[in-house]
Amino acid sequence: MGKKILVTGGAGFIGSNFVRLLLKEPQIEKIRILDKLTYSGSVENLENVLDNPKVSFIQGDIIDFNVSAKAISNMNWVVNFAAESHVDRSLFDPSPFMATNVEGVRVLLELSRKHKIEKFLQVSTDEVYGSIIKYAADESTPLKPSSPYSASKAAADMLCNAYFVSYNVPVIIARSSNNYGPYQYPEKLIPRFVSLTLRKDKLPLFGNGKNIRDWLYVEDNCKALLLLLQKGILGEIYNIGASELHQNIEITKSMLDILNKPYDLITHVKDRLGHDKRYCINWEKIEKLGWKPQAKFIEKFTKTINWYKKREKWLNKKTEEAEEFYSQKSSNYKVK
Ligand code: NAD
Ligand code: TDX
């Protein structure tokens, strides 16, 4: 029997790439997407997907119990991508992060319990470990989130564990590193900098630009998530990384090389508050299930940059909105 799957946040960056992967998977009989369509979600991200008869779409908020109940009914699996996902926005106003990323997850867990869902996959992040100056965090490393965003994701992980232990809700947690690839909203480093470069604007590198992230191609992440649904052990946590550790300044210079633009577009600006210096995770646990990232970094990074370059009109439209946040709010963190 095929599986019916609810994908929350399926109109966002990783969610829309995941739905595309599911469409190639014969085991998947039905895909239902629940998405609020916040500023970062868009049905444009689901071009050539929504007309597939396997796919249905509900616009709604995961916090809304009745909407989520309707979305979850008759499903076998739930994958939760729905989240407020941008660190800088969480520093400006944490409240929507607590609402969606914590209370929203509670609603989905409660409904998964009620509807006897077979598997609930929570898409978490390597940011829950905080800055890892040396070595690599494994799944038992204590959580030390630095931003309201990562604190909200850590809280959701704890809630998932509590629902597994207390109510046997069949939860699996995936902690992925920084994804890159198509359909990412241009508030995030790579699409933002491609867009600003094409507009001949300055590239605001936070602080000294030496912060390190582990860059994982989105398709590899999606394959890992699918594998966890198929083979992951209930109640367990799995790190998903690529061991592609690069400083932001290196990423920026490679991007400028690919676009054949000068380095003097780079401008160092005031650092992000609480800016994590380095993320690095050990992903041997998922490797033992039979997953390895396939992407060759420079090849997929170049492909990603060219994907955005070809969609300059779309990128420009999104950039107008994204830059409004940075110009009006980000240097003016709210004190509540
Ligand atoms: P995104 O911002 O592109 O997408 C989030 C999606 O969730 C959007 O479509 C948005 O409309 C939807 N959404 C937001 N609030 C909602 C709500 N209350 N109800 C229903 N839908 C709602 O984010 P992304 O980069 O695709 O991240 C997806 C998930 O992966 C998030 O949970 C994030 O924490 C996690 N993650 C992301 C990365 C990364 O590098 N992008 C890395 C690790 C983990
Ligand atoms: O304009 C910028 N200048 C800059 O120097 C932006 C947008 C970012 N940066 C730096 C900050 C980070 O060190 O680049 C790095 C990457 O920043 P983001 O793209 O904002 O990602 P990050 O904060 O690392 O978080 C991302 O990866 C983990 C996602 O946004 C999260 O949702 C995910 O959990």
Side-chain angles (χ1 to χ4, degrees):
M1 267 272 279
K3 295 292 182 193
K4 296 180 184 138
I5 181 166
L6 172 65
V7 182
T8 57
F13 164 45
I14 308 178
S16 61
N17 278 284
F18 185 71
V19 170
R20 284 193 170 78
L21 175 68
L22 289 181
L23 283 173
K24 295 184 204 150
E25 187 60 38
Q27 188 192 10
I28 305 297
E29 187 183 306
K30 196 175 163 130
I31 304 164
R32 193 179 284 156
I33 300 168
L34 171 63
D35 198 296
K36 187 177 175 182
L37 299 180
T38 65
Y39 74 95
S40 75
S42 164
V43 285
E44 288 172 348
N45 293 351
L46 293 166
E47 56 183 350
N48 310 323
V49 165
L50 290 179
D51 48 4
N52 189 301
K54 279 188 184 176
V55 180
S56 60
F57 181 84
I58 302 173
Q59 182 175 359
D61 193 326
I62 56 167
I63 295 175
D64 186 327
F65 196 86
N66 294 329
V67 170
S68 285
K70 195 175 143 216
I72 226 167
S73 65
N74 299 318
M75 294 287 114
N76 304 107
W77 291 346
V78 176
V79 185
N80 179 37
F81 292 96
E84 287 293 334
S85 66
H86 196 38
V87 173
D88 294 322
R89 286 182 186 256
S90 82
L91 290 163
F92 173 70
D93 183 6
S95 58
F97 289 75
M98 299 305 139
T100 291
N101 301 4
V102 186
E103 172 64 3
V105 173
R106 187 200 64 81
V107 169
L108 294 177
L109 287 166
E110 200 57 40
L111 286 164
S112 297
R113 180 181 167 207
K114 191 172 164 204
H115 288 260
K116 303 201 170 13
I117 285 299
E118 292 162 28
K119 266 180 198 169
F120 181 98
L121 179 60
Q122 168 66 6
V123 183
S124 183
T125 169
D126 64 354
E127 299 202 11
V128 295
Y129 300 116
S131 199
I132 301 287
I133 298 303
K134 278 187 189 164
Y135 315 110
D138 68 21
E139 290 82 354
S140 61
T141 298
L143 306 190
K144 214 176 167 203
S146 310
S147 70
Y149 162 70
S150 50
S152 70
K153 295 296 288 186
D157 288 7
M158 297 299 172
L159 210 47
C160 286
N161 189 57
Y163 269 72
F164 173 72
V165 173
S166 296
Y167 307 120
N168 289 320
V169 175
V171 168
I172 297 172
I173 296 170
R175 294 186 180 145
S176 311
S177 63
N178 282 60
N179 281 218
Y180 66 100
Y183 299 105
Q184 189 171 31
Y185 190 77
E187 64 187 349
K188 308 282 167 46
L189 180 73
I190 294 173
R192 184 181 192 204
F193 277 17
V194 172
S195 182
L196 295 177
T197 301
L198 297 173
R199 292 155 70 102
K200 302 189 182 69
D201 286 340
K202 291 279 185 194
L203 310 180
L205 203 53
F206 300 157
N208 63 12
K210 291 190 177 162
N211 305 65
I212 293 169
R213 299 291 182 266
D214 176 6
W215 292 96
L216 170 67
Y217 190 51
V218 67
E219 205 175 287
D220 280 328
N221 186 32
C222 291
K223 285 182 181 161
L225 296 172
L226 181 59
L227 182 71
L228 291 182
L229 282 168
Q230 292 164 333
K231 291 197 187 162
I233 297 171
L234 302 182
E236 294 287 314
I237 300 167
Y238 294 87
N239 286 344
I240 310 174
S243 302
E244 283 289 353
L245 271 61
H246 302 282
Q247 292 185 346
N248 296 333
I249 182 85
E250 294 164 7
I251 291 286
T252 307
K253 285 182 175 170
S254 314
M255 186 266 311
L256 288 167
D257 290 342
I258 292 161
L259 292 173
N260 203 15
K261 296 288 190 241
Y263 293 167
D264 63 11
L265 283 177
I266 299 171
T267 173
H268 289 267
V269 298
K270 204 170 110 188
D271 211 354
R272 173 184 278 178
L273 298 180
H275 196 176
D276 284 330
K277 183 108 195 68
R278 177 177 177 269
Y279 296 137
C280 181
I281 48 175
N282 173 322
W283 43 272
E284 282 169 14
K285 189 168 167 183
I286 190 167
E287 198 178 11
K288 289 193 188 115
L289 286 186
W291 175 88
K292 241 186 198 319
Q294 299 299 311
K296 289 197 173 57
F297 178 74
I298 195 62
E299 190 189 299
K300 296 299 184 188
F301 182 66
T302 307
K303 186 176 167 188
T304 299
I305 286 163
N306 288 327
W307 187 90
Y308 288 107
K309 193 178 162 191
K310 273 200 217 121
R311 283 161 183 81
E312 211 176 331
K313 205 170 142 209
W314 170 87
L315 195 56
N316 255 320
K317 193 177 84 188
K318 301 275 176 198
T319 299
E320 302 286 334
E321 305 159 16
E323 290 310 309
E324 218 175 281
F325 165 76
Y326 276 111
S327 62
Q328 294 177 8
K329 296 180 176 165
S330 72
S331 59
N332 176 23
Y333 298 111
K334 252 192 209 173
V335 179
K336 291 221 166 182

